[in-house]
Amino acid sequence: VDYAGQLVRALKTAGIQAWGWGYVYGANPQGEAAAAVRAVVELDLDGFVVDAESEWKKPGMGKKAAQYMTLLRKGVGPDLPVGLSSYRWPSYHREFPFSEFLEECDFAMPQVYWLQAHNPTAQLERCLREYAALEVKKPIFPTGACYREHSWQPTAGEIAEFLHACKSLGLQGCNFWEWANA
C-alpha cells in the first residue's frame, strides 16, 4: 500500500504542503540523489530536506556531498526548496562539509536540540552565530527538541521559550523533532 502517496494527496487536498525528508549516508551519492529525486517527482513534493550527519565527517566526504547536492538539485530543479538538516554548532563538527551541502540549499535547519540541558535560547543564539560565520550563508529555520531521550525531555516552558526566541531573533520560522513525543 502506498501510504506516502495517499498522505501527500490528502495533505494537498487540504491545502497543506507536503515535503520530503531523507537521511543520507554518503556511501552512494548518485543512488541516494536518484532516490530522493524519484520521491520528489513521483509524490509531487513541495520541498525536500536533506538530513546529513556523522557519516559525512570522514575524510573526502566534501566531494561526495557536492556530488550528491549537484545531482539532487539538477533532478528536482532550481525552484524546489531544499534545506539541510544537520548539526547546531559547526565549530564542534569542523570536518563536516557544511559549504558543500549548503551551496545547493535554499536554507539550513540546524538541529538545536538542548539534550540533557535546559537552555534553548542560549543554544539557539550560539547556533545562529556559528551559522552566520560559515562561508555559505543561508536563512535559518532551526529544529527544536520535542522528544524524549533516556530520562531527559524538554519542558513545555522550554518549547515556548524556543518559539519565543525564534520570533524575537527575527527568524522566519522553526520546526520540531519529533511531534510523536510532544
Side-chain angles (χ1 to χ4, degrees):
V1 178
D2 176 16
Y3 293 115
Q6 291 176 13
L7 176 60
V8 168
R9 285 188 295 279
L11 288 169
K12 288 182 174 247
T13 298
I16 300 170
Q17 289 188 356
W19 285 52
W21 169 93
Y23 191 97
V24 292
Y25 298 89
N28 180 0
Q30 302 91 339
E32 289 181 290
V37 169
R38 191 168 41 256
V40 167
V41 171
E42 289 177 4
L43 294 170
D44 188 29
L45 298 175
D46 297 299
F48 189 77
V49 177
V50 176
D51 186 345
E53 299 181 32
S54 63
E55 295 83 1
W56 295 89
K57 293 169 71 172
K58 298 177 225 150
M61 294 304 281
K63 182 177 178 182
K64 288 185 174 189
Q67 181 182 36
Y68 170 82
M69 291 304 300
T70 298
L71 293 169
L72 175 66
R73 181 51 79 187
K74 182 179 177 184
V76 300
D79 297 328
L80 188 90
V82 173
L84 172 65
S85 175
S86 196
Y87 299 108
R88 66 185 160 188
W89 297 334
S91 66
Y92 275 29
H93 307 278
R94 295 190 189 281
E95 63 275 48
F96 183 86
F98 284 99
S99 295
E100 289 84 346
F101 275 110
L102 288 170
E103 188 67 38
E104 294 291 340
C105 285
D106 300 297
F107 55 91
M109 298 175 71
Q111 300 165 5
V112 185
Y113 304 153
W114 54 96
L115 182 64
Q116 301 303 326
H118 298 282
N119 59 347
T121 300
Q123 293 204 28
L124 176 61
E125 290 172 341
R126 179 176 175 182
C127 170
L128 294 177
R129 282 192 308 272
E130 290 199 17
Y131 269 76
L134 290 176
E135 181 179 315
V136 181
K137 295 167 181 35
K138 300 289 177 169
I140 305 290
F141 293 87
T143 302
C146 197
Y147 64 93
R148 296 179 182 112
E149 187 165 311
H150 308 295
S151 63
W152 179 89
Q153 69 182 62
T155 66
E158 290 166 2
I159 292 170
E161 178 185 338
F162 181 78
L163 288 167
H164 177 75
C166 288
K167 186 174 183 179
S168 68
L169 292 166
L171 299 176
Q172 297 175 32
C174 66
N175 68 104
F176 289 90
W177 179 262
E178 146 190 52
W179 283 113
N181 290 306

